[in-house]
Each structure stands twice: as C-alpha cells, then as structure tokens.
Amino acid sequence: MKLQRKNRRALTLGALAVSGALALTACGSDDTSGSGEGGGKETAANANIKCDDAKGQLLANGSSAQANAIQTWVKAYSTACKDVQINYKPEGSGAGVTAFLQGQTAFAGSDSALKPEEIAESKKVCKDSQAIDLPMVGGPIAVGYNVPGVDDLVLDAKTLAEIFDNKIQKWNDPAVKKLNPDAKLPDTKIQAFHRSDESGTTDNLTKYLQAAAPDSWPHEPDKAWAAKGGQSAQGSSGVAQQVKQTAGAISYMELSYAKDGINTVALDTGAGEPVDASVDNATKAIADAKVVGKGKDLALELNYSTKAEGAYPITLVTYEILCEKGNKAETLPATKSFLTYIASQDGQDTLKDQGYAPIPAEINTKVRETIASLG
C-alpha cells in the first residue's frame, strides 16, 4: 500500500514538473513560479477564443493559488486577442477583494466566496446590482514538508492542527510516530510556515482543521492566520520556497506549487487508506459541493470532513468575483471575452495538467450562462 502511494506521488510530481514548464508569467505579475512555452493543444484552443469587441487593459488582482492557471490562460488569450492587455497581480485573495471593492479592478480572484458584508459593500461599485462569485478553478491544498530522509509521510487533521498551532514541535513526536511507524523521523524542530498575507488558501485550510479536528483547532477560520507561533511568507510561491530551503519545514500551498522536490503529506481521513493530494482526489471532494449562493451567485459549500474513499478534503475553489450588472463599460467586453474562454471546455481542459481540478460540468454550465448575461 505504501509503495502504491509512493508511485502515485511520483506520477503527480512528474506531471507537476511538466506543468511548471508550461506556466507563463502574466503581464504585471510578480509571481515567477513558472516559465516556458505552450504546445499544439494551446494553438488549437486559440482558434476557439472569441475576442468580440474586446480591447484595452484589463486589471485584476487576487488569489496566488490560481496564478499558474491565469498565466497560461493569459498566454493563450493574448495570442488570440492582441488588442487586450491583461494585468493580473497575484497578491492574495484578501488584497484582490479589497482592490475590487475599491473599484480598482475589473474582477478579483479569491479562494473564498464573498462574505455577506462584502456583497453589501459591492453595491457601491456595482451600479444597481452586486458582486457575484463564479467558481473557476478547483484543486487540492497540498501540505508540503521538508524532512530529510522522510519521503512518505502520513498525518491526520488532529496532528496537523497541533503542528500548526505550535503544540507539536518535533518531527519525532509520538503523535507523528504513531501515524508513521516505519519512518525514520529525526529529532528535528518543526518549522511551520503560514501565509503572511490574507489568503483564501489559509481560510480553506483552517476550515478543514476546524471541521475535521474541532477539539485541536480553537481558532475561527479566516483569511488571516490566527494561530500563535510559526513563521510567515508572502503568497503560495513564498511558502513553497521556504519549504524547499528549510530543513524541518512544513506549510500549505496549492498543488501546482508543490513541485521541484517538495514532498506532500498523505492525509489519514478515516477512509480505508491515506489520501494523497492529487487532482483526481480533490475532484472527488469538489463534486460533493453544494451551490449555496443566491440568484446568480454561485458560491459553493465544501465538505471538509469527508471520509469518502479517495476524497482529499483540503480543497479550495477559486472564484472570479465581479459585478452581475454595472460593470465598467470600457472593460466589460474584455472581461466577458476572457472569462468566456477560461470557463470554456478548452480553458478548463488546461487545468488538470497543471495540478488544478476543472470545475464539475453541472456547475460550470451555470458559470457560462452567468458570464453570458453579465452587464
């Protein structure tokens, strides 16, 4: 069983190494986690991108978890629609929502749906309307670690909660040993890293910890890190870099950042065997999500405490947030054109190779209908 898990992880990391070569830097992005050239699939997809009357500059800000997907989408879209310049800054979900609510961007990317008070505030920038959440990117939040000599590690929600809450401080702690009886765990201090910026990835991780280990995680889920102790880094790329270079480190990141030698934790969820962080396993969890938004708002409710076989519970869905009506006239054509492409079959088909999970078809159909009706 352990050998099978190692083989699956090797395949996952191999796919991510390839996808890292496909991720391209968006104009204005300060995230340089991927670079390279696209291939024939991208060329075929370009032919189906409809530019319509799109032109000018499109500003957006938000989730760094979706940055690699945005980079690839922007490359394909810009090749087809040369009159549009897209500038997406992956400064984190909190920064993205703030910028949008201040009227600075055409849309925001967020790994958490808008809160009721944020929807209310959005009515100031959405004329006679309000902001809505459109789920566009799914995927697992990997728990990456750097423990020399340990390339196969199982943790459960309780142990993870106590590690991130600074209660378990050594890698050879009895709780970790119990879950990994065959591993040679060193007497090394655990270096737990969390996001320094407000992050939907943090929000989703802490929702999982509260749902699956309520007695061990006393903090309310939030985009801002609430637990004491640990160290911080900016963005998904920042925490991934700290894990790579720090012996004893552990952190959380969207799966596409868990590449270049970063090992990932398999979760003991109570299912028959530990579950790896993979696109297919995250898809099994996302497929159980319920649409809880009202009207054309497509906010989802995820089941973080699932024990279903093969379902990886630490998942996130990244939303593109914009006005249902009342979008700026000068950017609406480009916004609709770009979002139409990324929600299309061609756009969604690019996700899996990069370690993301496409949005389930029944939900994505509603997303496409909503984009077509934007005003």
Side-chain angles (χ1 to χ4, degrees), residues 156-177:
D156 59 14
K158 182 179 187 296
T159 307
L160 268 179
E162 293 183 355
I163 286 173
F164 281 116
D165 204 27
N166 205 34
K167 295 171 184 173
I168 293 178
Q169 300 183 346
K170 292 290 187 72
W171 278 111
N172 62 351
D173 185 276
V176 182
K177 279 186 173 182

Side-chain angles (χ1 to χ4, degrees), residues 38-55:
K41 183 185 293 186
E42 178 184 302
T43 302
N46 290 351
N48 296 323
I49 297 175
K50 305 301 180 184
C51 304
D52 297 324
D53 298 321
K55 60 183 178 180

Side-chain angles (χ1 to χ4, degrees), residues 74-193:
V74 166
K75 174 69 186 313
Y77 181 82
S78 298
T79 300
C81 303
K82 300 183 184 299
D83 291 333
V84 180
Q85 181 184 20
I86 299 175
N87 186 331
Y88 180 84
K89 294 183 178 180
E91 295 181 340
S93 298
V97 171
T98 297
F100 173 77
L101 293 176
Q102 292 176 349
Q104 299 174 7
T105 56
F107 67 91
S110 176
D111 306 323
S112 298
L114 291 171
K115 297 176 181 178
E117 58 268 27
E118 292 170 333
I119 292 178
E121 187 178 350
S122 73
K123 295 178 181 179
K124 298 176 183 178
V125 294
C126 302
K127 288 185 179 180
D128 301 318
S129 184
Q130 65 180 45
I132 55 175
D133 302 280
L134 299 181
M136 200 68 70
V137 180
I141 300 172
V143 179
Y145 68 95
N146 179 349
V147 182
V150 180
D151 59 5
D152 189 54
L153 185 68
V154 176
L155 297 175
D156 59 14
K158 182 179 187 296
T159 307
L160 268 179
E162 293 183 355
I163 286 173
F164 281 116
D165 204 27
N166 205 34
K167 295 171 184 173
I168 293 178
Q169 300 183 346
K170 292 290 187 72
W171 278 111
N172 62 351
D173 185 276
V176 182
K177 279 186 173 182
K178 183 177 180 180
L179 290 164
N180 300 273
D182 298 327
K184 295 181 179 180
L185 296 165
D187 183 30
T188 301
K189 180 177 173 57
I190 294 175
Q191 306 283 350
F193 286 88

Side-chain angles (χ1 to χ4, degrees), residues 50-65:
K50 305 301 180 184
C51 304
D52 297 324
D53 298 321
K55 60 183 178 180
Q57 188 177 51
L58 195 61
L59 301 179
N61 193 331
S63 165
S64 64

Side-chain angles (χ1 to χ4, degrees), residues 12-21 32-35 68 145-146 240-241 243-245 253 255-264:
T12 299
L13 292 174
L16 289 172
V18 173
S19 71
T32 57
S33 57
S35 60
N68 290 340
Y145 68 95
N146 179 349
Q241 183 61 33
V243 171
K244 285 175 63 176
Q245 67 187 23
M253 64 208 71
L255 183 60
S256 68
Y257 291 89
K259 54 181 184 287
D260 299 334
I262 295 180
N263 288 319
T264 60

